[in-house]
Amino acid sequence: ALNQGTIYPALARLEQKGCRFTPHVLGVQVGQPLQLANADQTLHNIHAVTRVNDDFNLGMTPGSVATRTFTAAETMIAFKCDVHTWMTAYAGVVPHPYFAVTGVDGRFTLKGLPPGDYVVTAWHEKFGTRTARVTVARNETKEMAFQFSAR
């Protein structure tokens, strides 16, 4: 287990904009504040559907901002807007700062990972999860590839 203390990445923010959640997938550390915002000129809600953490369902008037914190690791937490049913997003909550969301090209980077043996898990909302083991030495870079296919 990694015990790096509290090292939060940049501000975690989930925004409702253009009747979509932005970003669609994000990572958050346990205990890291997650800012929730409605940038639209219409009523939304943010309904977090969890298995481990406490669910919440917040009414979000235009321009409103709220903050929530997750107390336990959980992947993946689903967010939805009950007013606009097509609006969904997902958050992975982990106890360490070593996570990433892929870019549009499917690539990701985990920076600052200490030397050691790891299990890396990749998640896709339609195709599930894939895991791979990797050993990283000091100042070493490794490449990994995950293959997803339709069920």
Side-chain angles (χ1 to χ4, degrees):
L2 296 172
N3 186 1
Q4 299 294 319
T6 303
I7 306 172
Y8 297 136
L11 174 68
R13 181 178 168 95
L14 182 61
E15 186 172 58
Q16 295 165 310
K17 187 173 185 177
C19 284
R20 295 189 179 280
F21 281 108
T22 302
H24 183 65
V25 176
L26 72 153
V28 182
Q29 264 185 268
V30 171
Q32 178 184 11
L34 173 61
Q35 187 178 69
L36 308 162
N38 179 1
D40 285 335
Q41 293 303 310
T42 189
L43 175 70
H44 288 298
N45 74 310
I46 297 180
H47 186 173
V49 181
T50 66
R51 292 179 315 280
V52 178
N53 290 278
D54 292 334
D55 286 4
F56 59 82
N57 192 346
L58 305 173
M60 300 292 289
T61 57
S64 63
V65 177
T67 303
R68 289 294 180 270
T69 303
F70 298 103
T71 59
E74 181 173 349
T75 55
M76 298 292 281
I77 293 175
F79 295 94
K80 60 183 182 172
C81 175
D82 299 316
V83 179
H84 305 98
T85 57
W86 64 87
M87 292 177 63
T88 60
Y90 300 89
V93 181
V94 296
H96 52 76
Y98 306 108
F99 57 87
V101 176
T102 61
V104 295
D105 61 358
R107 295 181 180 273
F108 68 95
T109 302
L110 296 174
K111 293 184 180 184
L113 196 62
D117 297 323
Y118 298 96
V119 175
V120 179
T121 301
W123 174 88
H124 187 279
E125 92 181 79
K126 291 190 173 138
F127 303 128
T129 59
R130 301 289 183 270
T131 59
R133 293 188 176 277
V134 65
T135 299
V136 180
R138 189 167 174 245
N139 296 322
E140 182 179 29
T141 299
K142 291 272 180 107
E143 291 200 16
M144 304 181 79
F146 292 94
Q147 294 287 4
F148 289 90
S149 59
R151 293 180 188 151

